[in-house]
Amino acid sequence: MTWGSWGKNLTKGEMTGLIDYCVENGITTFDHADIYGGYDNEEAFGNAFFQSSTQRQDLQLISKCGIQYVCNARDNKVKHYDYSREYIVWSAERSLKKLKTDYLDLFLLHRPSPLMQPDEIAEAVLYLQKEGKIREFGVSNFSPSQIALLESAIPVSANQVEFSLTAEKLMFDGTFDDCIIHNRTAMAWSPLGSFFREANKRKKRIKKVLKQLKKKYKANSNQILLAWILKHPSKVHPVVGTTSKERLVASARATEIDLELEEWFSLLVASQGHKVP
Ligand SMILES: NC(=O)c1ccc[n+]([C@@H]2O[C@H](COP(=O)([O-])OP(=O)(O)OC[C@H]3O[C@@H](n4cnc5c(N)ncnc54)[C@H](OP(=O)(O)O)[C@@H]3O)[C@@H](O)[C@H]2O)c1
């Protein structure tokens, strides 16, 4: 999402370099959605990947479908979600073409729609799986009951949700319990939360706790913030958005930091601004 026109607007050469650099450093999964960059990013990535030295089997591609928003690339009059069989299949096939690949490792429904019909979605997903066009199927931003609704017709292997030290509510509403109980892959988008985006009292409190932890673990703020979400028992996979080579590689080192129990709660208290009940 951050590589194209919604973010750093990387050139083809820069994207190619970043793909190769990530894979050389063990970061092999790339998160896409049809809508990123105004329905443009997948093609930009596909062109960069085509020119890279990375082979398809050395990386995993995720993409998403369902959001129809108003922009130059589409004739939509109002932002809405479309989970008809035809649209899901069309969107997945379009993603494959743009990404210059013949399969997606994981295909997600981007946001829940009040009008989604489990049987119709299952038909589309089973067709795509039978054709070898998608491997795993999952969702994004779904509640446990919305997943249960879908699972009346088709298994759901992943849920990609907003989760970070400053967006921690899903730890308390059953979303991650559902992932653990059903062995569903949990993924966290915006894993750094608002820490680098805001200047307020919360950031000051978090910064104070981070100062000691950074010293103790010889780590930077990004690594401690990621280590905080990695400690959750759902074994959440952070979807890291940085475009900086240094920050990408440093981020991966967060997996080596195991925060102590009281350190983890000190950060939670700093974020929430009050002790736990
Ligand atoms: N499923 C969904 O609904 C959904 C929604 C939103 C996002 N996503 C996915 O999640 C991914 C990550 O989201 P995100 O980009 O919000 O995640 P993030 O990793 O929390 O934030 C990345 C942003 O923080 C900046 N940053 C990182 N470290 C910094 C530092 N030390 N100082 C200052 N700025 C720093 C990065 O800039 P630099 O590039 O300069 O480092 C980048 O702009 C997206 O790319 C997308 O694939 C999914």
Side-chain angles (χ1 to χ4, degrees):
M1 188 184 79
T2 51
W3 289 28
S5 61
W6 287 4
K8 293 284 159 67
N9 231 336
L10 303 182
T11 62
K12 181 156 84 168
E14 286 168 336
M15 281 197 195
T16 303
L18 205 46
I19 294 168
D20 289 337
Y21 186 81
C22 283
V23 173
E24 280 157 21
N25 285 282
I27 299 163
T28 59
T29 304
F30 297 85
D31 183 70
H32 292 274
D34 55 348
I35 59 163
Y36 292 164
Y39 298 97
D40 255 3
N41 271 23
E42 289 179 318
E43 186 165 14
F45 183 96
N47 290 337
F49 171 52
F50 189 67
Q51 155 172 308
S52 80
S53 54
T54 300
Q55 301 301 307
R56 177 64 182 92
Q57 66 270 18
D58 297 331
L59 52 75
Q60 296 80 41
L61 295 174
I62 300 173
S63 198
K64 319 184 188 80
C65 81
I67 303 181
Q68 284 275 31
Y69 90 107
V70 181
C71 65
N72 291 338
R74 296 264 165 115
D75 200 17
N76 299 320
K77 289 175 194 61
V78 62
K79 186 178 178 190
H80 63 280
Y81 309 124
D82 190 342
Y83 292 122
S84 61
R85 182 194 186 283
E86 294 70 31
Y87 183 75
I88 293 171
V89 170
W90 176 83
S91 187
E93 289 176 343
R94 179 188 173 280
S95 291
L96 295 178
K97 206 166 140 205
K98 301 263 175 199
L99 288 165
K100 296 203 190 324
T101 181
D102 31 5
Y103 68 93
L104 293 173
D105 295 273
L106 178 61
F107 184 52
L108 307 175
L109 305 187
H110 206 150
R111 294 216 167 247
S113 167
L115 297 184
M116 62 191 176
Q117 307 222 29
D119 289 344
E120 189 168 0
I121 291 169
E123 247 187 64
V125 171
L126 290 172
Y127 167 79
L128 290 167
Q129 286 180 325
K130 193 169 119 288
E131 294 292 307
K133 294 181 176 181
I134 64 169
R135 293 197 169 165
E136 299 283 325
F137 164 70
V139 295
S140 182
N141 306 302
F142 274 50
S143 70
S145 72
Q146 289 161 337
I147 295 180
L149 174 69
L150 265 192
E151 285 211 313
S152 64
I154 183 92
V156 174
S157 69
N159 193 10
Q160 183 180 121
V161 294
E162 182 179 16
F163 177 49
S164 63
L165 178 59
T166 59
E168 81 296 359
K169 286 196 191 74
L170 300 188
M171 286 194 307
F172 304 105
D173 76 350
T175 297
F176 289 120
D177 308 347
D178 164 77
C179 287
I180 295 170
I181 294 165
H182 299 284
N183 204 18
R184 235 184 286 293
T185 302
M187 278 178 274
W189 59 263
S190 293
L192 302 173
S194 57
F195 183 75
F196 293 110
R197 295 187 192 133
E198 67 185 12
N200 54 19
K201 283 186 185 157
R202 175 165 64 174
K203 180 167 179 168
K204 262 195 189 159
R205 291 192 303 266
I206 296 174
K207 246 180 140 174
K208 204 169 153 197
V209 183
L210 280 180
K211 197 173 170 194
Q212 303 151 18
L213 298 176
K214 278 158 61 172
K215 199 167 164 205
K216 174 176 170 186
Y217 290 100
K218 297 186 178 52
N220 62 28
S221 303
N222 296 46
Q223 291 166 329
I224 302 290
L225 291 169
L226 292 173
W228 188 86
I229 63 171
L230 287 166
K231 193 160 177 78
H232 193 274
S234 63
K235 298 192 176 70
V236 67
H237 293 58
V239 187
V240 172
T242 182
T243 48
S244 139
K245 287 182 175 174
E246 294 71 31
R247 282 181 189 146
L248 271 164
V249 171
S251 296
R253 285 196 30 236
T255 55
E256 294 160 21
I257 301 170
D258 184 15
L259 295 174
E260 285 182 31
L261 194 61
E262 290 197 26
E263 294 169 345
W264 190 91
F265 276 95
S266 306
L267 281 167
L268 179 64
V269 169
S271 176
Q272 295 189 321
H274 56 78
K275 60 185 180 185
V276 293

